[in-house]
């Protein structure tokens, strides 16, 4: 499962080996298309203004 993290210091990132930086626009697109999920710890969807 691919997960988007919003915080560099999110402790949950340690479980996601092979993380890659991305732009806010690419993260928004991936989250809204459903190809990835948002981290439930650092909540990048909230930080990017994406509301369910």
């Amino acid at each position: 499962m691919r997960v988007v993290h919003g915080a560099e210091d999110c402790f949950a990132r340690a479980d996601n080996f092979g993380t890659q930086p991305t732009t806010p626009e690419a993260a928004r697109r991936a989250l809204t298309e459903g190809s990835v999920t948002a981290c439930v710890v650092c909540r990048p969807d909230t930080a990017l203004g994406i509301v369910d």
Side-chain angles (χ1 to χ4, degrees):
M1 174 189 334
R2 297 184 60 137
V3 178
V4 173
H5 293 277
E8 288 288 323
D9 61 348
C10 177
F11 74 86
R13 286 184 70 188
D15 293 338
N16 290 318
F17 296 101
T19 59
Q20 310 172 292
T22 189
T23 64
E25 295 80 18
R28 273 189 204 94
R29 186 172 46 254
L31 288 166
T32 56
E33 289 175 352
S35 58
V36 298
T37 58
C39 174
V40 297
V41 176
C42 61
R43 300 302 304 205
D45 51 344
T46 302
L48 292 169
I50 300 170
V51 180
D52 286 339

